Amino acid sequence: MSIDSAGTGALSAAEARRAVVNAHFAPGARDALDVLRNERLLQLDGISRVDKAHRLSCAARLPARRRAEQYDDALWSEGEAVSFETFTDVACVFPIEDWPLFERSRQWFRDRHAEEFADGLAGPRREVLRIAAEAEDGATIGDLETGAERGGNWSWSARQRAAEFMLWSGELVCTRRRGIKRVFDLPERRVPTHLLEARPSYDDVCAGLIASALRALGVATIADLRRHYRLTADEVRDGLEAAGAVVLDIEGWGEPGYALPDPDLTEVPVTQARGSRLIGPFDNLLRNRRRAARVFGYEYLFEAYVPAAKRTYGAYVMSVLDGDRFVGRVDAQRVGRDLLLHRLYPERGVTNRSFKAAARRAGTHLARQLGGELVLP
């Protein structure tokens, strides 16, 4: 990537696509924590038709010999915290080093919900704080709701609502899990002191978040960066300047792109050396659907909540990445340890033969990580 003296450059659509894939598939990841530190966030989602969203994101970036059942042990630590959970626009897990960068977000949440904390949730909040403080090993939602009215299948109890708000505001923290259950604890017991006491300036926060996002995304627009960390347009612009980002004219994008000045960003896609991969619906390559359409020319549909008769592709569709292109999609399901691909859909212009070969390579890789075999239609 060549940059002129004014700090601007140009990329073809293919170079931009390559830069994005290279950023998301940095070589050398040994475990799920390495993946998190490269991606800077992993979206969490409870649907497990194949596996949980964060595990699928890690599986696409780790060798086949790394079993998916081991990923959580690397992402959530019983010892010194290595990650924390909170919300951007959705629930995500972040590397613990980024804790200071989210203080502005936590303060925004405290300000926005100050009245609710003071009024309707004042009692439940006190109880939640008391239970969490008295529990030496932290407390799950079940522990916090002991002796109180529980919420229904589709609603939160008052104590759970308080706990979630306290998590988002930083009064509680989740840095570990018991199985799939989150453990709520006091920040001073879990967040390293130097991170807990850090008070970065506005400029440092903006620069840190934008640099972090650009390392993870490779090339991005202002809208992409706003969505990634739920930032304002002013925060993004200030961060771009402070981080020393370069402005890029990208073929077909219709708006400026931004990147850190990395000359190796547009080299041959690293995934070509690793083979094809199945990409989950909440992977950072796809979770921003508009960005995926712009970068890859790929329109993804998530149909898990669509009635079966109205689905176009299937209940849980995973996308097949081959090199730096999405070549098709599969309706996938895990049965026992085996991975079943019910239906295969190549993208327009991709031959059935080449797509099936890519789907087989990608499916075999994930099936090994799940501890089973690939079953094709």
Side-chain angles (χ1 to χ4, degrees):
M1 180 171 63
S2 59
I3 306 299
D4 62 25
S5 58
T8 61
L11 292 178
S12 68
E15 288 174 324
R17 187 172 63 246
R18 201 175 302 147
V20 169
V21 173
N22 280 346
H24 284 289
F25 287 84
R30 297 160 299 177
D31 58 25
L33 183 58
D34 284 343
V35 173
L36 175 61
R37 286 173 172 159
N38 182 66
E39 292 290 296
R40 307 315 296 177
L41 67 83
L42 294 174
Q43 182 170 336
L44 302 169
D45 189 85
I47 296 177
S48 54
R49 183 177 168 89
V50 176
D51 207 337
K52 295 297 179 65
H54 65 280
R55 293 188 197 129
L56 294 177
S57 295
C58 292
R61 293 160 176 81
L62 291 172
R65 66 179 181 276
R66 299 293 187 191
R67 291 293 179 88
E69 61 193 17
Q70 300 171 344
Y71 297 166
D72 288 8
D73 290 340
L75 289 174
W76 288 279
S77 171
E78 286 294 325
E80 182 174 305
V82 297
S83 68
F84 68 99
E85 295 182 37
T86 191
F87 274 65
T88 52
D89 55 339
V90 292
C92 296
V93 58
F94 303 84
I96 195 66
E97 308 92 80
D98 286 352
W99 173 267
L101 298 179
F102 284 82
E103 180 54 32
R104 281 178 58 81
S105 175
R106 291 188 287 268
Q107 185 60 54
W108 174 88
F109 193 87
R110 289 192 288 267
D111 293 342
R112 183 180 178 88
H113 294 277
E115 289 187 9
E116 193 165 5
F117 268 131
D119 297 331
L121 289 179
R125 178 188 178 195
R126 286 194 297 270
E127 284 301 298
V128 166
L129 189 60
R130 177 187 63 79
I131 295 169
E134 291 176 355
E136 293 183 3
D137 296 325
T140 66
I141 286 294
D143 299 327
L144 296 175
E145 290 185 323
T146 299
E149 183 178 346
R150 295 174 181 265
N153 291 335
W154 299 102
S155 63
W156 286 349
S157 69
R159 285 191 188 178
Q160 179 167 1
R161 187 171 176 81
E164 300 292 346
F165 280 21
M166 294 165 78
L167 182 67
W168 302 342
S169 68
E171 195 170 3
L172 292 177
V173 67
C174 175
T175 64
R176 53 186 168 155
R177 292 196 169 204
R178 293 177 191 155
I180 63 172
K181 295 180 179 179
R182 292 173 298 166
V183 177
F184 294 80
D185 210 335
L186 305 181
E188 56 268 29
R189 292 203 296 220
R190 297 297 301 162
V191 180
T193 302
H194 71 284
L195 297 176
L196 191 65
E197 295 180 351
R199 294 294 182 268
S201 67
Y202 168 82
D203 288 343
D204 288 341
V205 167
C206 293
L209 289 175
I210 293 303
S212 180
L214 287 177
R215 280 193 294 271
L217 298 175
V219 182
T221 65
I222 287 178
D224 296 338
L225 295 167
R226 288 192 64 186
R227 165 76 186 276
H228 195 69
Y229 282 133
R230 198 181 64 181
L231 301 173
T232 67
D234 286 342
E235 287 170 337
V236 171
R237 293 189 184 97
D238 292 342
L240 286 168
E241 181 177 357
V246 298
V247 186
L248 299 171
D249 180 17
I250 301 175
E251 177 190 5
W253 278 31
E255 56 186 309
Y258 298 86
L260 297 177
D262 183 351
D264 298 326
L265 202 58
T266 57
E267 295 299 314
V268 175
V270 294
T271 50
Q272 285 189 355
R274 297 186 179 184
S276 307
R277 294 290 183 268
L278 287 181
I279 304 299
F282 305 110
D283 190 287
N284 286 334
L285 277 176
L286 285 179
R287 73 188 194 98
N288 184 337
R289 312 291 193 224
R290 290 185 179 180
R291 172 175 166 78
R294 183 189 338 115
V295 174
F296 298 100
Y298 181 69
E299 301 282 350
Y300 177 81
L301 296 174
F302 184 60
E303 301 177 291
Y305 301 112
V306 175
K310 296 183 178 181
R311 289 172 183 153
T312 302
Y313 298 110
Y316 197 87
V317 172
M318 298 190 71
S319 303
V320 181
L321 182 71
D322 189 42
D324 62 356
R325 289 184 177 276
F326 284 107
V327 295
R329 63 199 84 200
V330 298
D331 181 17
Q333 182 181 10
R334 182 179 183 176
V335 177
R337 289 185 175 272
D338 293 336
L339 177 64
L340 277 64
L341 303 186
H342 293 293
R343 286 172 292 275
L344 283 67
Y345 303 94
E347 285 291 277
R348 182 178 300 176
V350 179
T351 66
N352 284 329
R353 182 177 180 179
S354 64
F355 171 63
K356 287 181 179 179
R360 182 183 292 275
R361 290 192 299 269
T364 299
H365 181 91
L366 179 55
R368 285 186 59 191
Q369 291 168 314
L370 298 176
E373 301 291 333
L374 176 66
V375 181
L376 292 170

